[in-house]
Amino acid sequence: MPSFDAVLEPDMVAIKNSVSNAEKEIGTRFDFKGTAAKVELKEKDKQIELIGDSDFQIEQVSQVLIGKLTKQGVTVNYLDMSAKIEKIGGDKVKQTYKIKAGIEAELAKKITGAIKNSKLKVAASIQGDEVRVTGKNRDDLQVAIALLKKEFADQPLNFQNFRD
């Protein structure tokens, strides 16, 4: 029976390259000279830390990072940028962006609900942090992929493990 997995998996290599390119640009830009401005990737925690002297500087560092991510082809939707800017001592501030990896339970339920409501001849099941969609033929699965891309355009869903 044909199936595929809908997953939320960022390209960590591209993110790593983007962060290192952002670090290089921050190191060479005139307006960041002599300041605490920097970007760090915490791969183990799946976070990106932005450090600066003020809220405005954090915004500038964020713009550099987003530009580099876009050039690498990484959609900004992988980043959870809702964290507040916090003071870390002296006159320095930091902001932490979490990297989304894996479909959360709430989103997985919405995906399975959307597939059930579509009346397609496919079935969706939640398997850990991914959603497996199975159907009788390949065409139904392709219609399901198109539906998910349309319904969840704000989520950077990937479709993997396509089997016949």
Side-chain angles (χ1 to χ4, degrees):
M1 201 169 206
S3 69
F4 70 87
D5 294 335
V7 297
L8 197 71
E9 196 60 45
D11 183 1
M12 288 305 289
V13 173
I15 290 174
K16 195 175 191 177
N17 290 340
S18 301
V19 170
S20 68
N21 288 342
E23 286 173 350
K24 286 178 191 169
E25 184 172 327
I26 288 167
T28 58
R29 269 184 46 176
F30 179 74
D31 54 339
F32 292 132
K33 289 273 190 224
T35 64
K38 66 179 180 174
V39 180
E40 290 180 354
L41 174 65
K42 309 257 184 196
E43 237 176 311
K44 204 183 297 179
D45 301 332
K46 293 211 180 217
Q47 295 179 353
I48 299 174
E49 259 183 19
L50 311 175
I51 298 173
D53 289 337
S54 65
D55 294 4
F56 175 73
Q57 196 171 59
I58 292 282
E59 286 292 321
Q60 295 298 311
V61 171
S62 176
Q63 292 301 319
V64 170
L65 176 66
I66 289 170
K68 298 300 178 185
L69 285 168
T70 306
K71 279 186 182 173
Q72 288 283 334
V74 177
T75 168
V76 184
N77 292 346
Y78 281 121
L79 298 181
D80 178 12
M81 297 190 260
S82 62
K84 298 273 187 254
I85 296 175
E86 55 192 65
K87 291 198 175 290
I88 56 172
D91 58 348
K92 295 181 184 172
V93 291
K94 86 171 181 178
Q95 186 173 20
T96 304
Y97 293 165
K98 287 185 173 44
I99 300 171
K100 296 178 191 174
I103 296 177
E104 297 169 2
E106 184 180 316
L107 179 60
K109 287 178 185 173
K110 286 181 183 175
I111 289 172
T112 56
I115 288 177
K116 285 179 184 169
N117 292 340
S118 70
K119 306 284 191 242
L120 291 173
K121 293 183 177 166
V122 295
S125 61
I126 300 170
Q127 307 209 325
D129 59 353
E130 58 189 42
V131 177
R132 172 146 308 149
V133 180
T134 56
K136 290 202 185 276
N137 63 30
R138 175 181 274 195
D139 294 338
D140 291 341
L141 293 180
Q142 289 174 339
V143 171
I145 288 174
L147 171 85
L148 291 177
K149 282 183 179 179
K150 183 179 156 209
E151 289 273 326
F152 300 97
D154 61 330
Q155 296 294 330
L157 290 174
N158 296 332
F159 304 100
Q160 302 176 341
N161 212 6
F162 201 96
R163 298 177 191 237
D164 262 337

